[in-house]
Amino acid sequence: MMSRRGPYAKGEAKRQEILDVALEVVAEMGCRKASNREIARRVGLSQAGLMHYFGSREDLYVAVLRARDERDDAAFWLPQQDIRGFLAIMRHNSQVPGLVQLYVEFSAEASIGKHPAHGFFVERYAWLRERFIGFVRFAQEDGTFGAGVDAGQVADVMIAAADGIQQQWLLDRDLDMVARLELVWEGLAAVSRGAVPTV
Amino acid sequence: MMSRRGPYAKGEAKRQEILDVALEVVAEMGCRKASNREIARRVGLSQAGLMHYFGSREDLYVAVLRARDERDDAAFWLPQQDIRGFLAIMRHNSQVPGLVQLYVEFSAEASIGKHPAHGFFVERYAWLRERFIGFVRFAQEDGTFGAGVDAGQVADVMIAAADGIQQQWLLDRDLDMVARLELVWEGLAAVSRGAVPTV
């Protein structure tokens, strides 16, 4: 007896195959036109066939960003749920320049309004902000952070610094993103332990 | 006797008039298609006529970004050449959302390669980095910063935080960008005075 979930499951499996391939292709090539062609080629579809599974180029790339977050989550955040998990992702980012390009381009466009990635980035900021608030709690428990700082503000500036430093790194691949973010984190820790305001 | 510089000077004057108008229009509306129409209308040209002075939409908007830096420089940086000058610009930015949108969009696209704004942003980062290195020197002279931090790294992370926080602000206009950047700066000051590393 044929499973009624058969055709749907088959479509889902193909969609997942496309996402796995797209993650690899984008990591190397970014989200230029050539990437669409290469993804289609590797999964044995025409570019129109590819769009059958994702609706539009933008929807495909939002799905890639979402799949990447899920993969990074499993690989880097589950093992160490404090700031080191985030720094491990930033370290990994320097191996996948095309994904950094995609992230920088789409996050900028999404902040501007009607872009298909707008909803994704609004949700993602909220989710990442909660993560960072958790990192601050962890750090307060282990004593590296004190009580003298608002965890939400720490989250805002760490996310901002991470977004901005990736943009700089695209222009200068020798920039050590992890060292820069460690510096910001150290500074915030010092403020939380009662450093004196300077401005 | 007709001045030989006449026609050129006239072209330059029109170009400057367009830039002044474009700064106002973009501040309100950003760099969408409607802005091109509105700029052309206000200076009494067709959109094709507008492009006669700037070559392309992208070149016009790069010229707008450059004109804006010059204006901000005169208005906010000349009066106070330390970090407060930069914070004054960030405070002013919340009054010109369209210019923030243009900056966020073009800086992201420019980090990706062949965009017409690429050269502008490479130069701008180098220029802004020197500015921030100067801010650190000022702060070291007045004693708010110590010697325990690399001024270039401070520059990198302050620029990154400013870029990233503008992107967040576009999604949430209640975010206090200046307060967030003051927090980062305070932290860096604390590190420079010898705070203990935490990561």
Side-chain angles (χ1 to χ4, degrees):
Chain A
M1 196 177 92
M2 210 180 112
S3 161
R4 292 185 61 191
R5 291 182 60 245
Y8 175 73
K10 202 176 158 199
E12 270 305 288
K14 189 68 183 175
R15 202 173 182 275
Q16 191 56 52
E17 182 200 340
I18 296 169
L19 278 179
D20 290 343
V21 166
L23 267 169
E24 277 176 42
V25 171
V26 173
E28 294 162 26
M29 306 173 63
C31 57
R32 304 296 93 191
K33 273 185 188 160
S35 316
N36 271 26
R37 275 200 301 275
E38 180 62 16
I39 295 165
R41 194 189 65 76
R42 290 202 201 172
V43 297
L45 289 170
S46 66
Q47 289 190 61
L50 196 61
M51 288 311 122
H52 168 72
Y53 289 90
F54 290 94
S56 72
R57 176 188 167 276
E58 282 76 17
D59 291 339
L60 167 61
Y61 287 121
V62 171
V64 167
L65 286 170
R66 201 183 298 277
R68 176 225 199 173
D69 278 342
E70 283 163 15
R71 189 196 58 184
D72 284 355
D73 214 41
F76 302 106
W77 256 329
L78 289 183
Q80 41 194 12
Q81 298 189 8
D82 61 10
I83 185 70
R84 289 171 303 168
F86 182 76
L87 295 174
I89 291 179
M90 292 300 295
R91 194 170 290 116
H92 173 69
N93 279 350
S94 63
Q95 306 303 314
V96 288
L99 283 166
V100 174
Q101 287 184 341
L102 171 62
Y103 175 84
V104 164
E105 184 163 346
F106 269 42
S107 63
E109 290 175 6
S111 71
I112 283 160
K114 286 155 195 150
H115 192 271
H118 183 80
F120 171 74
F121 278 100
V122 169
E123 268 175 46
R124 191 180 188 279
Y125 274 115
W127 161 78
L128 193 55
R129 200 168 189 272
E130 286 309 310
R131 278 283 165 102
F132 266 101
I133 289 172
F135 298 160
V136 174
R137 305 270 173 263
F138 277 118
Q140 284 169 333
E141 279 162 29
D142 76 18
T144 48
F145 265 64
V149 77
D150 180 89
Q153 291 196 15
V154 170
D156 294 339
V157 300
M158 285 300 297
I159 296 168
D163 285 354
I165 210 72
Q166 290 182 82
Q167 206 161 312
Q168 286 179 41
W169 176 81
L170 288 175
L171 296 174
D172 172 13
R173 302 291 167 94
D174 290 329
L175 188 83
D176 185 338
M177 295 190 280
V178 174
R180 296 300 183 282
L181 294 176
E182 282 174 349
L183 176 60
V184 180
W185 182 255
E186 270 177 44
L188 296 166
V191 170
S192 77
R193 295 192 306 259
V196 185
T198 60
V199 200
Chain B
M1 197 178 90
M2 212 180 110
S3 161
R4 292 184 61 190
R5 291 184 61 245
Y8 175 73
K10 203 176 156 197
E12 269 305 287
K14 190 68 184 176
R15 203 173 180 275
Q16 191 55 52
E17 182 200 339
I18 296 168
L19 278 179
D20 290 343
V21 166
L23 267 169
E24 278 176 42
V25 171
V26 173
E28 295 161 26
M29 305 172 65
C31 58
R32 303 297 93 193
K33 275 187 186 157
S35 316
N36 270 26
R37 274 200 301 276
E38 180 62 16
I39 295 165
R41 195 188 65 75
R42 291 200 199 173
V43 297
L45 289 171
S46 66
Q47 289 190 61
L50 197 61
M51 287 312 124
H52 168 73
Y53 289 90
F54 290 94
S56 72
R57 175 187 167 277
E58 283 76 16
D59 290 339
L60 166 61
Y61 287 121
V62 171
V64 167
L65 287 170
R66 201 184 297 275
R68 176 226 200 171
D69 277 343
E70 283 164 13
R71 191 195 57 185
D72 285 355
D73 215 39
F76 302 106
W77 255 331
L78 288 184
Q80 39 194 11
Q81 298 189 9
D82 62 9
I83 186 70
R84 288 171 303 168
F86 183 76
L87 295 173
I89 290 178
M90 293 299 296
R91 194 171 291 116
H92 173 68
N93 279 350
S94 64
Q95 306 302 315
V96 289
L99 283 166
V100 174
Q101 287 184 343
L102 171 62
Y103 176 83
V104 164
E105 184 163 346
F106 269 42
S107 64
E109 290 175 6
S111 72
I112 283 162
K114 287 157 193 148
H115 192 272
H118 183 80
F120 170 74
F121 278 100
V122 169
E123 268 175 47
R124 190 181 189 279
Y125 274 116
W127 161 78
L128 193 55
R129 200 167 188 272
E130 287 309 309
R131 279 284 166 100
F132 267 101
I133 289 172
F135 299 160
V136 174
R137 302 274 172 260
F138 276 117
Q140 283 169 334
E141 278 163 29
D142 76 16
T144 48
F145 264 64
V149 76
D150 180 89
Q153 292 196 14
V154 170
D156 294 339
V157 300
M158 285 300 297
I159 296 167
D163 285 354
I165 210 73
Q166 290 182 81
Q167 207 162 311
Q168 286 180 41
W169 176 81
L170 288 175
L171 296 174
D172 171 14
R173 303 290 167 97
D174 291 329
L175 188 83
D176 186 338
M177 295 190 279
V178 174
R180 296 299 182 283
L181 294 176
E182 282 174 349
L183 176 60
V184 180
W185 182 254
E186 270 177 44
L188 296 165
V191 170
S192 76
R193 295 192 306 258
V196 185
T198 60
V199 200

